[in-house]
Amino acid sequence: KERTSLARVKMPEAPPMERARSYVEVNSGLTPEQAINEASRCIDCANPTCISGCPVEINIPKFVKNIERGEFLEAAKVLKETNALPAVCGRVCPQEKQCEANCFYQLKLSTEPVAIGYLERFAADFEQQSGKISIPEVAHSNGIKVAVIGSGPAGLAFAGDMAKLGYEVVILEALHEIGGVLKYGIPEFRLPNSIVDVEIESLRKMGVKFETNFIVGKTATIDDLREEGFKGFFVGSGAGLPRFMNIPGENLVGVLSSNEYLTRINLMGASSQGMDTPVVRGKKVAVIGGGNTAMDSVRTALRLGAEKVSIIYRRSLEEMPARVEEVKHAQEEGVEFLTLNNPVEYIGDDKGKVKQIRVQRMELGEPDSSGRRSPVAVDGSEYIIDADTVVVSVGVSPNPILPQSLPQLKVSRWGTIEVDPDTLQSSIPDIFAGGDIVRGGATVILAMGDGRKAAASMHQYLTNQTKK
Amino acid sequence: MNKVISKHYYSENVVSLEIEAPRIAKARRAGHFVMVRVGNTGERIPLTISTANVERGTITLVVQKVGVSSRKITELEVGDEVTDLVGPLGQATHVENFGTILACGGGVGVAPLLPIVEELKKAGNKVISVIAARSKDLIILEDQIRQHSDEVIVMTDDGSYGKKGLITEGMEEVINREKIDQAVIIGPGIMMKFAALTTKKHNIPSIASLNTIMVDGTGMCGACRVTVGGKTRFVCVDGPEFDAHEVDFDEMLMRLSGYREDEIKADEQYLCVSKNKGKA
Ligand SMILES: Cc1cc2nc3c(=O)[nH]c(=O)nc-3n(C[C@H](O)[C@H](O)[C@H](O)COP(=O)(O)OP(=O)(O)OC[C@H]3O[C@@H](n4cnc5c(N)ncnc54)[C@H](O)[C@@H]3O)c2cc1C
Ligand SMILES: Cc1cc2nc3c(=O)[nH]c(=O)nc-3n(C[C@H](O)[C@H](O)[C@H](O)COP(=O)(O)OP(=O)(O)OC[C@H]3O[C@@H](n4cnc5c(N)ncnc54)[C@H](O)[C@@H]3O)c2cc1C
Ligand code: SF4
Ligand code: SF4
Ligand code: FES
Ligand SMILES: [Mg+2]
């Protein structure tokens, strides 16, 4: 009874007006006391429904109870049994739709769920800071070479599991940095790169090899790699292609994709002194879209010194796909939300630079195939707003480079790789795939879950092959 | 990994670098480019693979100093490592026996033109090349172009070498005397715009190799987008070659200037820092 009467912990945060102008991490993390108190709210359910809400089925009550007992390193160990990147997931998982949505508190008491994400982050950070990071045991090398295409969460999770099984794992990455979207997409104020680097370092210690500046399908083909002795391939090449809306003026100077905007800053360091890569520093910045990428872009614009920043989103706040916490943080930081609005044209000045947006009001109609009420344009509702920078963040498509280099590979109408849902094996037997290249834009934890699943089934496949 | 093997100056501002890159040397075709980054503060910039040597495992880049990033590359010396080099990128040139080719290269555009001329010649075409630059010292790779062309016309704006005049004048001269089946146009945006207008006037099918701003070079950012035939295309993955008569060159030129102030500042800053280093 006592446990259930405790209030959910509040995450300590940097003050909105200070953080909105710096790259300091917004959430500062729980103190040990806060973590222990929060952990004590968990009633260790006989049937822990929270676990079924987690795509990688972390043993949530077990790690939470370790925290309650003050055994933080043990808690981290439990996390790592199923989740290779707990410090990342504790920060970026949409908990309100996953584990926490299925917590007893939420389901049965209709009160605030146990802060599973905060606790996960706490235990993982504690381990990172303790310097006593447990490196998983690695089986004796079996001498079998496998290649991973792409170093995002799917590829990293796959690599970790295969290394544990004794495979010689090489990760091939197109960019000059390891980490995929975790590095070039999600900004420092939400997920510091150093957190990702610790996890990458663990993989290195487990014997995983990394090769950057290597585009499979261009630098070498899968056939070349087969000749070099690779026996299995995991494709985790992500959904890196930005979509545009094909409306007039979209190619004006000052209109750019969120991928370009975030890559210039997060991968190329454009916001720091002394870096050669430039970035636009708009005064009035409009970001089109309502996902995590849109929130990251709009909050980045603030940090680059914009005076006025707005989200333009065609549905209402309720339909926004972004994490609830990101929307809340953005609102606190002073982002204007123009929901039920949609751009129809960008207007440029005489130098071809964007200066205004023609916007149309929308209303919600019948639910569409996604179950969300679909936006319908309101006739005669167009109006004009000023903007000197527009960041288009309306979704991404699968990266086509690898699929295009493999004509026999089955891909869907949307360019995603088709796989057997149970084994993640593609139409080419030695090629498995997972993460956004299969799902077409999902989450970190789903990508990681795929990586692990593919590792298990590739192991099975390769074991059968060698028996033959 | 990507060591500079040899270096050659065409002029004070145009340098050719042979760089170790065995995989790229093997995989590349005419028309491909690489993304290059020098130093940890460096920017990624696209450069065409001018030639490659599979036996030596090297590729050759010809770089013109125009700003901070190209400057850093031209300052690399034999034995230095290129921090990041990735490729080969883009679609390879479509090569077939068209008949008679008019190959037009302006400034450093002659570097990417060279492998294309070579392939087109090998495919049995008659190749007439017109290469042009502001002045004599900016004419590059003339001998190499000659090696693979049936005829070469050199044009300089100031008349310091070859014929005096713009590249379009040299092109007109050829077009007026014989039937051209296909034109290839590579050079600064403004030159390509007018060269394309010239061939359009004479109904000669033409391709241009575009040099937009790029960040990743793999289709991820959209910085390189350009309108071709009314549709938005990404130069890094759909190009860099397009039907020259369909390209919106005005839009391309406008987008190229999008970061000009920052680019000038970055270059000045770099020059200032290296000067101070020189003093110390
Ligand atoms: C700005 C932004 C914010 C996000 N926020 C969240 C969030 O808060 N929570 C959440 O759960 N999810 C979030 N997501 C989504 C999440 O990041 C992705 O679902 C996840 O990263 C997908 O992982 P992946 O491993 O499939 O691919 P990616 O992370 O996209 O990695 C793919 C990698 O493969 C490389 N690659 C591609 N082609 C090749 C090739 N041919 N050869 C070699 N390498 C190649 C790419 O360069 C890239 O590094 C966000 C995404 C973005 C863009
Ligand atoms: C597919 C492709 C192939 C290329 N091949 C070569 C090559 O073989 N050799 C070579 O020397 N250059 C080549 N370029 C151009 C080269 O990438 C640019 O000169 C370089 O990016 C300029 O960077 P910077 O920092 O040195 O100059 P910046 O300071 O960024 O720019 C200096 C000036 O050059 C202009 N500029 C910027 N980018 C470009 C560009 N892409 N093209 C033309 N002008 C530009 C700017 O507007 C500015 O006025 C190629 C470009 C593309 C897209
Ligand atoms: S990995 Fe994500 S879904 Fe699973 S318990 Fe952690 S925060 Fe929840
Ligand atoms: S459902 Fe909630 S209370 Fe029950 S075990 Fe999971 S976290 Fe604890
Ligand atoms: S350079 Fe980024 S998409 Fe072409
Ligand atoms: Mg530059």
Side-chain angles (χ1 to χ4, degrees):
Chain A
K1 277 276 133 17
E2 236 169 62
R3 292 178 181 274
T4 56
S5 60
L6 292 170
R8 177 176 157 121
V9 68
K10 293 257 173 309
M11 171 61 85
E13 295 171 352
M17 287 310 135
E18 270 171 42
R19 73 188 190 222
R21 299 290 172 188
S22 83
Y23 274 84
V24 58
E25 194 177 1
V26 171
N27 286 347
S28 5
L30 302 182
T31 64
E33 297 72 45
Q34 285 176 315
I36 291 172
N37 279 339
E38 180 63 19
S40 71
R41 288 179 71 218
C42 167
I43 59 165
D44 202 1
C45 299
N47 170 25
T49 43
C50 51
I51 297 182
S52 58
C54 169
V56 295
E57 303 192 321
I58 287 181
N59 190 336
I60 293 167
K62 190 171 166 193
F63 101 79
V64 171
K65 290 296 124 182
N66 272 319
I67 293 181
E68 189 182 349
R69 284 192 295 273
E71 291 171 8
F72 304 146
L73 289 175
E74 280 305 306
K77 232 184 228 160
V78 175
L79 291 169
K80 286 208 171 158
E81 281 167 16
T82 49
N83 183 348
L85 308 172
V88 174
C89 293
R91 285 174 168 80
V92 307
C93 260
Q95 288 95 6
E96 71 273 10
K97 292 185 191 136
Q98 299 181 347
C99 50
E100 295 181 15
N102 289 284
C103 172
F104 168 80
Y105 280 78
Q106 182 81 53
L107 292 180
K108 294 284 154 50
L109 305 180
S110 293
T111 53
E112 289 198 294
V114 173
I116 301 168
Y118 294 168
L119 291 173
E120 179 167 346
R121 168 184 165 165
F122 171 79
D125 282 2
F126 183 88
E127 193 201 31
Q128 284 203 358
Q129 284 152 18
S130 73
K132 291 182 202 129
I133 298 175
S134 64
I135 304 294
E137 249 172 71
V138 171
H140 188 70
S141 168
N142 62 16
I144 302 174
K145 279 181 17 176
V146 296
V148 183
I149 296 131
S151 66
L156 295 177
F158 172 88
D161 277 14
M162 290 304 267
K164 280 188 218 167
L165 290 165
Y167 289 88
E168 286 182 23
V169 187
V170 182
I171 297 188
L172 305 168
E173 167 57 49
L175 294 172
H176 59 267
E177 275 273 355
I178 300 296
V181 169
L182 305 181
K183 280 280 180 65
Y184 77 70
I186 305 180
E188 200 69 9
F189 58 80
R190 202 148 74 78
L191 176 63
N193 280 348
S194 56
I195 297 287
V196 185
D197 284 332
V198 172
E199 309 289 358
I200 293 166
E201 201 43 44
S202 295
L203 288 175
R204 244 186 250 283
K205 287 192 184 128
M206 290 164 69
V208 174
K209 300 251 176 343
F210 294 90
E211 208 170 320
T212 51
N213 296 318
F214 196 120
I215 305 177
V216 180
K218 295 276 184 192
T219 310
T221 61
I222 294 272
D223 267 338
D224 296 332
L225 294 169
R226 284 195 187 108
E227 263 174 47
E228 289 172 29
F230 287 95
K231 299 290 182 222
F233 301 89
F234 175 71
V235 185
S237 52
L241 298 204
R243 280 200 212 120
F244 287 92
M245 292 166 68
N246 292 317
I247 59 177
E250 218 167 15
N251 291 345
L252 288 168
V253 174
V255 181
L256 62 169
S257 75
S258 49
N259 272 9
E260 178 179 351
Y261 195 53
L262 295 172
T263 299
R264 283 180 180 272
I265 291 163
N266 300 330
L267 182 73
M268 305 310 301
S271 62
S272 313
Q273 273 287 315
M275 301 302 282
D276 297 341
T277 305
V279 66
V280 286
R281 291 175 189 265
K283 293 224 157 31
K284 290 191 182 139
V285 183
V287 175
I288 319 299
N292 286 320
T293 316
M295 296 307 136
D296 285 344
S297 301
V298 82
R299 296 169 70 201
T300 293
L302 270 178
R303 284 154 178 82
L304 283 179
E307 282 155 17
K308 179 159 197 241
V309 295
S310 326
I311 284 281
I312 302 181
Y313 180 57
R314 62 195 181 125
R315 304 185 203 236
S316 71
L317 217 48
E318 270 153 57
E319 285 85 19
M320 274 201 180
R323 293 178 78 225
V324 168
E325 191 179 43
E326 309 313 328
V327 176
K328 173 180 150 267
H329 283 162
Q331 285 169 328
E332 289 168 1
E333 290 168 11
V335 173
E336 172 189 48
F337 281 73
L338 297 174
T339 53
L340 290 169
N341 274 286
N342 205 28
V344 289
E345 183 188 357
Y346 302 111
I347 301 162
D349 63 15
D350 55 355
K351 294 200 184 68
K353 188 165 182 342
V354 65
K355 61 169 188 185
Q356 289 171 324
I357 312 175
R358 188 187 302 281
V359 183
Q360 187 171 47
R361 288 189 215 280
M362 312 292 280
E363 57 191 17
L364 291 179
E366 296 301 308
D368 64 12
S369 57
S370 73
R372 296 183 298 177
R373 293 178 62 191
S374 56
V376 186
V378 178
D379 278 338
S381 65
E382 290 181 12
Y383 65 106
I384 291 202
I385 60 170
D386 291 340
D388 57 17
T389 304
V390 176
V391 181
V392 182
S393 186
V394 296
V396 285
S397 308
N399 189 316
I401 289 182
L402 183 91
Q404 275 170 7
S405 75
L406 289 167
Q408 326 86 295
L409 186 70
K410 261 206 197 125
V411 293
S412 74
R413 217 151 36 94
W414 301 275
T416 52
I417 298 180
E418 290 191 357
V419 293
D420 176 320
D422 295 322
T423 62
L424 304 189
Q425 189 171 32
S426 75
S427 58
I428 301 174
D430 59 350
I431 301 180
F432 295 69
D436 282 2
I437 186 70
V438 168
R439 298 171 179 270
T443 61
V444 171
I445 188 69
L446 287 170
M448 284 184 30
D450 285 355
R452 302 205 57 211
K453 200 169 175 180
S457 44
M458 188 189 291
H459 177 52
Q460 188 88 64
Y461 165 79
L462 290 173
T463 311
N464 290 343
Q465 290 297 105
T466 40
K467 271 191 205 138
K468 268 184 211 162
Chain B
M1 276 268 287
N2 301 120
K3 206 188 279 278
V4 177
I5 299 297
S6 66
K7 181 175 181 178
H8 173 77
Y9 282 87
Y10 285 110
S11 74
E12 195 198 339
N13 290 320
V14 181
V15 167
S16 115
L17 293 167
E18 186 186 5
I19 301 166
E20 211 168 57
R23 284 193 189 271
I24 301 176
K26 201 170 132 203
R28 78 102 207 188
R29 298 282 168 273
H32 280 152
F33 67 95
V34 288
M35 295 298 294
V36 182
R37 190 174 78 117
V38 176
N40 288 326
T41 59
E43 168 184 44
R44 296 165 65 100
I45 65 163
L47 293 168
T48 307
I49 303 170
S50 176
T51 55
N53 186 321
V54 181
E55 287 80 51
R56 285 161 65 91
T58 60
I59 60 171
T60 298
L61 308 177
V62 178
V63 195
Q64 179 173 27
K65 232 186 265 180
V66 295
V68 64
S69 305
S70 48
R71 183 185 302 281
K72 283 185 177 177
I73 292 169
T74 59
E75 285 174 1
L76 289 172
E77 298 300 337
V78 172
D80 285 350
E81 293 276 340
V82 180
T83 315
D84 294 297
L85 179 68
V86 64
L89 294 164
Q91 302 295 329
T93 306
H94 170 73
V95 175
E96 65 172 65
N97 191 343
F98 294 99
T100 304
I101 303 282
L102 182 60
C104 318
V108 75
V110 176
L113 188 66
L114 176 62
I116 297 171
V117 163
E118 189 178 341
E119 292 296 320
L120 287 170
K121 183 72 199 149
K122 256 194 238 158
N125 291 284
K126 174 178 178 192
V127 180
I128 304 171
S129 299
V130 184
I131 59 177
R134 277 198 310 277
S135 59
K136 180 176 181 194
D137 57 326
L138 294 173
I139 295 285
I140 58 167
L141 298 170
E142 184 189 341
D143 293 345
Q144 289 85 338
I145 290 280
R146 269 189 202 287
Q147 229 175 24
H148 306 286
S149 307
D150 295 85
E151 185 190 341
V152 177
I153 297 173
V154 180
M155 307 287 302
T156 52
D157 293 3
D158 62 1
S160 52
Y161 186 57
K163 289 184 188 156
K164 181 171 159 64
L166 297 173
I167 193 162
T168 44
E169 296 168 42
M171 291 167 65
E172 292 273 8
E173 180 196 319
V174 180
I175 295 168
N176 288 335
R177 73 166 194 239
E178 62 190 287
K179 181 176 173 293
I180 303 296
D181 299 294
Q182 174 77 39
V184 183
I185 301 166
I186 312 183
I190 195 76
M191 167 245 154
M192 289 197 278
K193 175 181 168 176
F194 286 103
L197 284 174
T198 303
T199 58
K200 186 162 188 183
K201 195 170 69 189
H202 298 280
N203 279 320
I204 300 167
S206 306
I207 59 159
S209 181
L210 306 186
N211 47 12
T212 50
I213 289 177
M214 294 190 175
V215 181
D216 60 299
T218 65
M220 192 187 89
C221 74
C224 61
R225 63 197 195 279
V226 59
T227 303
V228 183
K231 281 211 186 76
T232 294
R233 311 292 301 274
F234 286 12
V235 172
C236 66
V237 286
D238 303 325
E241 289 168 14
F242 294 97
D243 181 339
H245 300 157
E246 298 284 329
V247 174
D248 184 341
F249 282 106
D250 292 326
E251 180 191 90
M252 187 185 103
L253 285 164
M254 188 183 83
R255 288 183 58 78
L256 260 178
S257 68
Y259 291 94
R260 187 152 294 161
E261 278 167 37
D262 290 299
E263 286 161 349
I264 294 171
K265 223 191 290 161
D267 200 30
E268 281 170 356
Q269 241 167 29
Y270 174 68
L271 279 175
C272 181
V273 170
S274 34
K275 220 189 270 157
N276 286 344
K277 260 191 207 148
K279 274 187 208 146

